[in-house]
Amino acid sequence: MTTDTALKAKHRAMWALGDYPAVATDLISSLGPILVAAAGLGPGRRVLDVAAGTGNVAIPAALAGADVVACDLTPELLRVGELGAKESGATVVWQEADAENLPYDTGEFDAVVSCVGVMFAPHHQAAADEFVRVCRPGGRIGLISWTPEGFVGQLFAAMKPYVAPPPPGAQPPPLWGSEAHLSTLFGDRVRGVATRRQNVLVEGFATGAEFRDYWKEIYGPTIAAYRGLGGDPDRTAALDRDLADLGDRYLTGGVMPWEYLLYTASVA
């Protein structure tokens, strides 16, 4: 198994841990319709949702009248998405695919989008190149990504000392939430770029410790971080403290603002 193949297998397994569908449904379901509206996804548009997970964008885009293909590296998430689409009456094609090597023709789609999904592909330039390749000239690219400075970006920063360093060439996911980074990735291949930083407000946690206990049971990357500690009690306790402290810093009146970058552009 090559290093890249092993890395992708690790990512696939990580996102199958815990219960990411609950995160998508209970905490961030509002993000999908926001991206659908911003990217103008509707009738007459053939849309590709990359790293679609359970379909936060794909399902509302289909319900808005778009012809939608949803792809993801993790088949367990696609199966949940397919069930959700059937329940909502949405017609979506679900396919297993790697964001860095999409199995679609050049210029096949009118819009290529991703909601806190493609940002987790390890090789950012490869994924951005695929977005541009499969989107027709004049077509739309739409992204929602967690920012480095926001809560989720800081969550990954807090976990960084406790996980193995990424292999050479892999980049941190929250970079996709940086306007400058996206400008580097897409360059002059896009025009009409619009960016906006916004917050999704997450409720339901009274303390940082309560959030940590939920997150370490439900979110794949955090579960993987704890497993990687091998049961070391001191490091486990330290990560427990760091995540609880982070949650407390962001909680105000039972609400946590999670900042994201909304990015739209047209392929030149």
Side-chain angles (χ1 to χ4, degrees):
M1 181 180 289
T2 66
T3 301
D4 189 60
T5 302
L7 178 61
K8 297 301 175 66
K10 182 179 179 181
H11 276 228
R12 184 182 295 109
M14 178 182 70
W15 287 109
L17 295 172
D19 189 2
Y20 185 77
V23 176
T25 300
D26 299 340
L27 303 184
I28 60 170
S29 62
S30 63
L31 295 183
I34 289 171
L35 186 52
V36 169
L41 309 182
R45 293 294 187 98
R46 179 161 167 77
V47 176
L48 177 65
D49 183 7
V50 179
T54 57
N56 268 19
V57 178
I59 292 173
L63 292 174
D67 175 14
V68 183
V69 176
C71 68
D72 198 278
L73 193 65
T74 304
E76 290 87 347
L77 298 182
L78 293 173
R79 285 196 289 271
V80 174
E82 188 170 10
L83 290 174
K86 289 179 180 177
E87 290 175 0
S88 65
T91 300
V92 178
V93 175
W94 302 87
Q95 295 179 337
E96 186 175 343
D98 181 351
E100 298 174 7
N101 186 24
L102 294 170
Y104 307 111
D105 292 336
T106 297
E108 183 172 343
F109 295 94
D110 300 304
V112 183
V113 298
S114 187
C115 179
V116 296
V118 72
M119 63 182 291
F120 292 98
H123 307 107
H124 296 186
Q125 191 63 64
D129 291 348
E130 284 294 86
F131 264 61
V132 174
R133 182 185 67 80
V134 303
C135 190
R136 67 167 175 79
R140 298 287 281 168
I141 288 175
L143 299 164
I144 285 179
S145 307
W146 303 122
T147 65
E149 303 85 1
F151 176 78
V152 179
Q154 291 302 298
L155 175 72
F156 277 91
M159 292 192 297
K160 183 177 179 180
Y162 300 95
V163 299
Q171 293 179 287
L175 281 178
W176 279 82
S178 161
E179 295 90 340
H181 186 62
L182 293 182
S183 179
T184 298
L185 292 180
F186 291 110
D188 60 3
R189 298 179 297 173
V190 297
R191 61 190 178 211
V193 173
T195 61
R196 187 165 71 247
R197 289 185 177 226
Q198 301 180 157
N199 289 307
V200 59
L201 301 180
V202 173
E203 300 178 288
F205 304 104
T207 66
E210 187 177 322
F211 167 78
R212 175 206 64 210
D213 291 344
Y214 170 83
W215 209 238
K216 68 191 286 187
E217 294 294 330
I218 204 166
Y219 190 61
T222 307
I223 295 170
Y226 275 96
R227 288 186 178 180
L229 298 179
D232 183 318
D234 293 334
R235 284 173 59 76
T236 297
L239 180 54
D240 275 345
R241 286 193 300 271
D242 287 350
L243 295 188
D245 289 347
L246 178 68
D248 284 333
R249 289 202 302 274
Y250 277 83
L251 269 168
T252 303
V255 177
M256 304 173 75
W258 293 9
E259 187 184 63
Y260 63 88
L261 178 70
L262 174 63
Y263 171 99
T264 56
S266 298
V267 175

